[in-house]
Amino acid sequence: MLQPRDLRDALRLLVPRNGAPAPVPFAGGTDLMVHLNAGTLRDRRFLNLWGLRELRGIRLHRGSLEIGALTSWTAIRHSARVRRRAPSLEAAAAEIGAIQIQNRGTIGGNIVNASPAGDSLPALAVLEATLILRSVRETREVPFGGFYTGYRRTVRRPDELLTAVRIPLAPIRGARHWFRKIGTRRAQAISKVVAAGLIRRSRTGCIEVVRFALGSVAPTPVRASRTEATLLHQIPNATVVARATAALQRDISPIDDIRSTREYRRHLAGVLLRRFIEESG
Amino acid sequence: MIAPSVGLPLPRTDGFDKVTGRAAYVDDLRVPGCLHGATIRSTIPHGRLRRIRRDPAFDWSGFTFVTAADIPGQNVIALITDDQPALVDGIIRHAEEPVCLLAHRDRERLLAGLRAVTLECDPLPAALTIREGLARKAKIYGRDNIFKEIRIRKGEVRTAFRGAHRIVEGTFRTGLQEQLYIETNGMIAIPERGGRMSVLGSLQCPYYVHKALKRLLGVGDDRVRVVQTTTGGGFGGKEEYPSMLAAHCALLARKAGKPVKIVYDRLEDLAATTKRHPSVVRHRTAVSREGRLLGMDIDVLMDGGAYLTLSPVVLSRGAIHAAGPYRCENLAIRARAVATNTPPNGAFRGFGAPQTIFAVEMQLNRIARALRIDPVELRRRNVLRPGDSTATGQVLDAGASGPLVLEEAVRRSGWSVRRASFTKRAPPDPERASKAPRKGTASGRIRRGLGLSLFYHGAGFTGIGEVYLDSHASLAVTRDGSVEIHTASTEIGQGMRTTFAQIVGDELGLPPSMVRLAPQDTSLVPNSGPTVASRTCMIVGKILANAAADLRDALVQWAGDSPRRAPGRRATRGPWNPQQFRRLASAWVRKTGPKVFTRKYDRPPGMKWDEKEYRGDAYGAFGWGVNVAEVEVDAETFEIRVPRVDVVLEIGTVVNPLLAQGQAEGGTLQGVGYALTEEVVRKNGRMANAQLTNYIIPTTADTPEFRTTLLSNAYRHGPFGAKGMGELPLDGPGPAIAAAIENALGVSIVELPITPERLAKAIRARPAHE
Ligand SMILES: Cc1cc2nc3c(=O)[nH]c(=O)nc-3n(C[C@H](O)[C@H](O)[C@H](O)COP(=O)(O)OP(=O)(O)OC[C@H]3O[C@@H](n4cnc5c(N)ncnc54)[C@H](O)[C@@H]3O)c2cc1C
């Protein structure tokens, strides 16, 4: 376990040397330790991020809410800023694991771990977050929607750290936020389906902004763009909802696995979409 | 004279050390020179082992390697029959079967060594389900893959069905369940200088391990010593499996000439060790118009896995409890344990009864619906009362507490009012797509339901089992004048250290703190039998109470004869206060030598059992129980919550109400998991969800509010009137929760666990109540 002094030192340590692979960033370790224990992790060199203060904190920055990659779920859950501007993210934070995991687990770990069941990912998708990736060479900004390339695959290069998540606030002013997780039990649960939504309606009830995203229904978190398209500029009624539910089934591609079934997940996704529309009406 | 402690809610004597982390479990023990051991297991469910290949490029220095060829005695885990090998010899009969063993001083090296071994096998067709086992898709055991068949007959079933008002049928299924003790299985074997093998570990039954090791090593009694270390839960999961693990450690230790420790990680423990037997139970019941049970025809199938282990006894208890606590003069029960190519199933709290009680309780609810009789009223009409006889013809005396627990539970839970308020509605429409979106509170979607189960559970070994066990227990007086309990009964979290001290203390008129417990070490303590079958407090506690009475009488007599006689008159329990006892007892030992009082099991007079016909007094006593479960089901997502369970149990004299309540709540919660979430997912015979992330037990957030009532109907032959209670609480939650879901949604439940996925499917298929 390499112990960097600061962020710059950490980035330097990530540069591959003499053909040896870059060390694996180790944040809270709540995902890594599980893989290590299960014997599914080959890597043996790690880079301890836990001491890097530059990567922690929640602040407002040029019209965005900026959250350091190393910020724990406990910090996010108890942040007044997050509660006001990104309540779906706060809701996700509150449902991740339980207290111990929330103290150790970080938002950056959840994002880079790239599990399709990561509970914060649908919220970040509908918040249209920007991910800040840094290496010794450059700093890149990657839109959340472009980060995942396949099952547990991302555009992050091995020498890059995710340093922060930026949520632009202007486009979502006045919107209602929605989040719902359906897990295998009431705590310490992996999601069977998790969904987040964001909606703004005109005085007449017409939908002006709508975003809906789900986890555990495809190899990556899914932004339900077909569904959104059927809802935009509509006043929700039975027909609109039916059309949206049908579109949703084309946005997702769930599978049978050890936690649930394809069929049940499809069913749940539909139920959650309807609840999103009803409850944020 | 001090006040009696039986009946007081004393905290567990081992509790403080456990919650403060001071207790040392097997993995905490530091044994100098100890090697780490590991097991190489089969990955296929059935096949021929051609070769074990060790990578020649790997550095094997410092490794100890053991195969079946290294076994000095017999390659069997001695238990009921000798079918299970300690290590595969030729044929692999299930996935995760141990094939060979490795040990090394360094753990990382050991893991590298594991990866450098490959098994070359020729796969054979595998029978992975009860149906495939019965169809002999693979030949596993005997000629027909039946480990054991039991038939119980009473009266004239055929005639009863001919005269029936109605015949109700149902088939019910239950799945595997993991015991999920917090501490995984772990063991250390230490080869001693004189040639004795000492084994220390997490286990329930020291003498089972002792017996197995003697056979494996081909040695006599005194060449094996088994010691229980602080054990983090058992629930049956450490009844027979520790013999396997001890065998592996002992083989490695013998060959290495050094101590060897194996502690499973959770993955290995979940994947490889025993689980509750899956079951399929078919009921046909002939009923009268008023709902009397005229005849019951019951067929029980249990999946035993690849080896016999304890399946015949699990099956036996399942069969005996299959008709439930109900009066029926004509019945036929056929029960079979079937071999499959899956890891052997074994002991688990309840031991076959939770499966068959689920089935019979769901069948009773079916009958209630068919006849439009309230489920409580139906039970009231059929519950066994004093003078009635059970399925095996055991005539119950005043200890038949079924009516008592039923009425108490109905009253305390407010059954009638609450059940009526959770009015039955039409089955929900899972799609609802055509309907306009309602502005939404959850209230319309949440369906509430109330369900009840009535059950009983026999305490102690079945039939003449206790006679065969011939349990012995002793009390010794030490030189410092305190009393020491010598039994092989183990503390596994149930609280026996505390209850034994209460029982012996009361018999002697001493505070429980003056009664100590000798280590569970086969070289020191007699065989008081296994710590299983709800028998420890009732059976071994009674033997100890008798030994204590002997001790008291002998001391009183000696004191009377001796010049320094005890002052004061003789009280019922002991004519001394603690200080006087200590002085007196110490003088006694110093003057006349060591004092040990040994008693053995006395069969209650009049108990009769016919093993061949399965008739007679199956158990000395039954505990009785009712659960009333309330559920909330989201009618769209099918998420299920259990906000409240009323638990009413009659367990004879309550020796320690705090511990009894702990047993009641813990057992009920284990039953909630069994009912709703605990499911083993297998792929080609291997567990695919062997992680606590994916094998779902309830958390605190899933735990209902328990309203527990303990009733006492003293049992004459138990210590101070106590009966066994450890397993009883797990029998009720499955059927009570299932009944509550039936009540909430108007569907028929026929299988545990009731997952949202299954419920969604059932609602889509829409088989509303018949
Ligand atoms: C008991 C338990 C319960 C859980 N419950 C939930 C749950 O309910 N919902 C849920 O979504 N998850 C859950 N998790 C998973 C986990 O806790 C979360 O995903 C958490 O957010 C991971 O954060 P971490 O800091 O611990 O990640 P780590 O384990 O440290 O890292 C995870 C991955 O991200 C990489 N990484 C971490 N930080 C960075 C960075 N700054 N830059 C580049 N790469 C980085 C690591 O290299 C690694 O590949 C649970 C885990 C456990 C053990």
Side-chain angles (χ1 to χ4, degrees):
Chain A
M1 178 80 80
L2 305 172
Q3 309 287 350
R5 283 187 308 275
D6 53 22
L7 180 56
R8 281 180 60 193
D9 192 27
L11 294 176
R12 235 179 289 127
L13 288 167
L14 278 175
V15 177
R17 239 166 292 240
N18 319 324
V24 177
F26 191 103
T30 60
D31 274 314
L32 283 173
M33 289 305 292
V34 174
H35 296 303
L36 206 65
N37 246 345
T40 47
L41 195 68
R42 274 294 136 89
D43 309 278
R44 284 293 177 274
R45 278 176 77 237
F46 301 95
L47 180 71
N48 187 3
L49 305 184
W50 199 248
L52 303 180
R53 263 188 288 148
E54 302 97 310
L55 298 189
R56 284 184 205 275
I58 301 165
R59 57 197 158 261
L60 290 171
H61 179 72
R62 290 205 224 135
S64 290
L65 180 68
E66 194 173 293
I67 303 175
L70 202 64
T71 310
S72 73
W73 294 118
T74 300
I76 291 171
R77 208 186 146 170
H78 295 300
S79 156
R81 286 197 178 117
V82 175
R83 185 171 316 137
R84 265 193 55 203
R85 327 248 168 184
S88 56
L89 188 60
E90 181 216 359
E95 295 227 12
I96 289 181
I99 289 169
Q100 301 94 320
I101 295 297
Q102 290 173 8
N103 283 342
R104 245 343 256 199
T106 66
I107 186 169
N110 203 239
I111 295 169
V112 178
N113 186 57
S115 157
D119 281 327
S120 72
L121 309 183
L124 292 167
V126 296
L127 294 167
E128 295 191 344
T130 301
L131 305 181
I132 317 293
L133 294 171
R134 262 183 82 173
S135 67
V136 283
R137 288 176 298 139
E138 60 167 344
T139 300
R140 320 193 261 159
E141 299 192 2
V142 178
F144 190 84
F147 187 65
Y148 298 105
T149 55
Y151 178 68
R152 308 208 81 153
R153 300 234 318 264
T154 74
V155 300
R156 184 185 82 91
R157 294 189 283 259
D159 67 340
E160 283 179 319
L161 279 186
L162 173 66
T163 56
V165 179
R166 210 172 272 160
I167 298 165
L169 297 174
I172 56 172
R173 206 146 284 146
R176 277 170 169 267
H177 298 250
W178 185 90
F179 175 85
R180 180 81 155 84
K181 163 176 176 174
I182 296 190
T184 48
R185 63 187 153 206
R186 293 173 71 77
Q188 300 285 32
I190 300 184
S191 289
K192 291 177 179 176
V193 174
V194 52
L198 187 152
I199 198 164
R200 197 172 68 216
R201 293 166 73 165
S202 72
R203 220 162 274 165
T204 56
C206 184
I207 295 176
E208 295 174 337
V209 175
V210 61
R211 302 178 189 165
F212 192 65
L214 306 97
S216 283
V217 293
T220 66
V222 169
R223 178 81 181 263
S225 41
R226 290 186 185 86
T227 310
E228 291 174 5
T230 66
L231 289 168
L232 197 62
H233 310 310
Q234 304 290 323
I235 298 174
N237 59 27
T239 327
V240 170
V241 172
R243 214 181 307 132
T245 316
L248 179 67
Q249 297 304 328
R250 280 179 282 126
D251 278 325
I252 63 176
S253 52
I255 54 164
D256 286 342
D257 67 8
I258 54 177
R259 282 185 285 277
S260 191
T261 62
R262 195 180 101 94
E263 187 192 3
Y264 178 67
R265 287 184 160 118
R266 284 200 176 276
H267 166 71
L268 274 189
V271 171
L272 292 187
L273 175 65
R274 285 196 300 275
R275 288 198 181 174
F276 161 57
I277 299 168
E278 288 169 24
E279 290 168 13
S280 38
Chain B
M1 256 294 281
I2 62 146
S5 71
V6 166
L8 296 184
L10 301 185
R12 265 163 60 176
T13 57
D14 53 327
F16 191 78
D17 278 357
K18 283 178 176 165
V19 295
T20 54
R22 227 187 297 166
Y25 296 83
V26 62
D27 205 21
D28 300 320
L29 302 182
R30 298 260 166 275
V31 179
C34 193
L35 310 181
H36 295 284
T39 317
I40 290 156
R41 299 174 180 280
S42 58
T43 54
I44 54 166
H46 196 198
R48 213 165 265 118
L49 176 67
R50 231 182 322 113
R51 195 158 85 97
I52 302 168
R53 206 182 93 89
R54 276 183 286 170
D55 182 356
F58 186 79
D59 172 13
W60 289 102
S61 60
F63 276 92
T64 305
F65 183 72
V66 162
T67 66
D70 294 298
I71 295 171
Q74 278 177 282
N75 184 9
V76 297
I77 300 298
L79 192 61
I80 294 178
T81 59
D82 291 344
D83 63 327
Q84 186 178 24
L87 292 170
V88 167
D89 195 5
I91 300 288
I92 291 164
R93 292 190 184 80
H94 64 85
E96 315 297 352
E97 184 162 13
V99 176
C100 54
L101 307 164
L102 279 183
H104 195 278
R105 195 162 36 84
D106 182 75
R107 214 187 209 140
E108 287 289 317
R109 288 288 298 151
L110 179 67
L111 295 177
L114 284 177
R115 288 193 289 269
V117 179
T118 37
L119 304 178
E120 293 176 6
C121 311
D122 299 324
L124 294 167
L128 297 177
T129 60
I130 291 179
R131 186 191 298 227
E132 290 177 352
L134 278 178
R136 281 174 275 182
K137 190 172 169 201
K139 189 180 163 313
I140 307 164
Y141 186 89
R143 264 185 307 170
D144 50 7
N145 288 343
I146 305 284
F147 286 127
K148 170 96 176 170
E149 172 160 353
I150 291 169
R151 284 176 184 271
I152 299 175
R153 290 193 194 81
K154 186 181 182 187
E156 286 295 330
V157 178
R158 259 202 228 129
T159 339
F161 274 81
R162 247 182 267 130
H165 164 67
R166 253 187 107 147
I167 292 168
V168 178
E169 304 195 18
T171 301
F172 308 94
R173 288 163 208 275
T174 61
L176 291 157
Q177 187 186 19
E178 161 63 27
Q179 296 88 354
L180 224 99
Y181 27 74
I182 294 178
E183 183 203 21
T184 54
N185 272 286
M187 200 77 65
I188 300 178
I190 307 173
E192 290 175 10
R193 202 155 285 177
R196 183 169 75 166
M197 185 64 74
S198 265
V199 168
L200 291 70
S202 184
L203 51 89
Q204 290 177 230
C205 311
Y207 277 96
Y208 279 9
V209 177
H210 192 254
K211 173 180 161 184
L213 286 183
K214 284 190 299 177
R215 287 283 291 287
L216 181 87
L217 301 175
V219 297
D221 273 346
D222 57 346
R223 289 281 143 148
V224 174
R225 169 180 169 237
V226 179
V227 185
Q228 184 216 11
T229 52
T230 305
T231 297
F235 309 108
K238 293 170 187 169
E239 175 167 353
E240 74 274 34
Y241 198 85
S243 298
M244 176 68 81
L245 187 50
H248 294 165
C249 289
L251 290 172
L252 281 168
R254 184 177 168 275
K255 189 157 182 193
K258 289 190 181 128
V260 174
K261 171 165 93 175
I262 300 181
V263 178
Y264 289 166
D265 65 11
R266 184 63 71 185
L267 203 155
E268 184 172 17
D269 196 290
L270 280 168
T273 71
T274 56
K275 312 240 172 316
R276 188 186 299 292
H277 291 64
S279 74
V280 180
V281 181
R282 194 183 50 77
H283 273 266
R284 282 182 70 235
T285 314
V287 290
S288 75
R289 190 180 300 276
E290 308 74 44
R292 306 229 179 262
L293 307 178
L294 303 176
M296 295 174 97
D297 180 7
I298 308 171
D299 185 82
V300 178
L301 288 167
M302 288 195 188
D303 179 348
Y307 295 105
L308 181 131
T309 64
L310 291 166
S311 289
V313 235
V314 171
L315 185 75
S316 154
R317 190 173 279 271
I320 290 171
H321 289 78
Y326 302 111
R327 187 185 336 107
C328 179
E329 290 313 314
N330 306 291
L331 53 81
I333 300 170
R334 180 191 193 198
R336 284 168 292 170
V338 181
T340 61
N341 291 112
T342 61
N345 296 312
F348 189 164
R349 193 177 196 176
F351 213 71
Q355 294 93 314
T356 56
I357 286 177
F358 169 67
V360 70
E361 285 299 281
M362 298 320 284
Q363 174 74 356
L364 252 86
N365 297 336
R366 234 170 223 236
I367 295 168
R369 288 196 298 269
L371 300 179
R372 298 182 191 287
I373 301 178
D374 175 75
V376 167
E377 184 51 35
L378 183 72
R379 285 169 173 82
R380 212 172 257 144
R381 288 179 195 172
N382 291 291
V383 62
L384 289 165
R385 292 170 191 274
D388 290 341
S389 74
T390 67
T392 63
Q394 174 167 3
V395 179
L396 298 177
D397 59 15
S401 300
L404 176 72
V405 288
L406 184 60
E407 299 312 330
E408 192 72 14
V410 165
R411 196 170 62 75
R412 288 197 181 242
S413 67
W415 166 266
S416 316
V417 176
R418 282 165 72 214
R419 172 97 170 178
S421 80
F422 303 155
T423 39
K424 207 178 89 181
R425 297 166 216 205
D429 174 359
E431 294 307 333
R432 235 186 65 205
S434 55
K435 286 168 210 147
R438 265 180 298 143
K439 262 206 152 180
T441 54
S443 60
R445 306 167 179 141
I446 299 295
R447 304 292 162 92
R448 300 209 288 165
L450 202 66
L452 175 141
S453 63
L454 171 64
F455 47 99
Y456 71 163
H457 197 100
F461 265 37
T462 305
I464 39 176
E466 289 293 344
V467 176
Y468 285 143
L469 276 180
D470 191 30
S471 300
H472 285 62
S474 312
L475 286 178
V477 185
T478 61
R479 285 181 70 85
D480 69 353
S482 56
V483 176
E484 200 170 66
I485 294 173
H486 289 216
T487 67
S489 305
T490 51
E491 175 65 61
I492 50 174
Q494 83 281 42
M496 58 67 68
R497 297 181 80 91
T498 315
T499 48
F500 274 9
Q502 286 178 272
I503 290 166
V504 171
D506 270 19
E507 201 64 61
L508 294 172
L510 298 175
S513 57
M514 273 183 72
V515 183
R516 296 198 305 232
L517 200 71
Q520 277 60 53
D521 175 336
T522 55
S523 71
L524 299 176
V525 297
N527 187 354
S528 57
T531 302
V532 304
S534 310
R535 67 183 291 277
T536 299
C537 179
M538 179 175 110
I539 304 275
V540 187
K542 180 63 182 176
I543 304 174
L544 284 173
N546 290 340
D550 291 350
L551 189 163
R552 181 192 60 218
D553 293 347
L555 182 55
V556 167
Q557 196 180 8
W558 178 77
D561 293 345
S562 103
R564 292 210 265 118
R565 55 174 301 148
R569 58 205 161 74
R570 182 177 169 166
T572 19
R573 294 250 156 98
W576 39 63
N577 66 33
Q579 291 73 26
Q580 288 166 334
F581 177 88
R582 201 183 284 280
R583 252 182 282 123
L584 197 60
S586 169
W588 189 30
V589 173
R590 272 185 278 110
K591 290 201 175 139
T592 64
K595 290 281 166 296
V596 177
F597 294 84
T598 302
R599 273 291 197 112
K600 64 186 200 64
Y601 171 72
D602 284 328
R603 193 180 199 195
M607 257 186 92
K608 282 203 188 71
W609 177 252
D610 179 341
E611 179 73 21
K612 237 182 86 224
E613 296 296 318
Y614 255 71
R615 296 213 61 74
D617 302 318
Y619 302 101
F622 290 90
W624 301 77
V626 169
N627 283 175
V628 179
E630 178 181 334
V631 299
E632 292 177 0
V633 189
D634 185 313
E636 291 170 357
T637 65
F638 305 106
E639 292 164 286
I640 303 160
R641 226 168 68 77
V642 186
R644 170 176 161 187
V645 182
D646 289 68
V647 180
V648 176
L649 304 175
E650 193 280 295
I651 56 171
T653 300
V654 183
V655 175
N656 184 320
L658 189 61
L659 294 178
Q661 192 180 339
Q663 290 295 299
E665 292 186 358
T668 309
L669 186 58
Q670 233 167 0
V672 172
Y674 188 46
L676 296 178
T677 55
E678 294 188 42
E679 185 161 34
V680 171
V681 182
R682 283 212 179 117
K683 290 193 179 132
N684 196 28
R686 298 189 84 184
M687 186 165 175
N689 58 337
Q691 278 177 304
L692 292 190
T693 335
N694 295 318
Y695 180 80
I696 305 298
I697 59 165
T699 66
T700 326
D702 303 284
T703 302
E705 176 195 351
F706 294 115
R707 302 206 183 172
T708 306
T709 307
L710 300 173
L711 302 175
S712 316
N713 192 349
Y715 168 50
R716 205 150 22 108
H717 304 291
F720 298 97
K723 302 184 199 172
M725 75 153 306
E727 296 166 284
L728 176 70
L730 224 160
D731 291 340
I737 289 169
I741 293 171
E742 290 189 329
N743 178 231
L745 296 183
V747 284
S748 207
I749 303 290
V750 294
E751 183 168 8
L752 296 183
I754 312 159
T755 59
E757 285 80 358
R758 286 221 179 96
L759 210 45
K761 230 171 160 176
I763 299 264
R764 272 161 197 271
R766 235 173 241 276
H769 284 329
E770 62 270 12

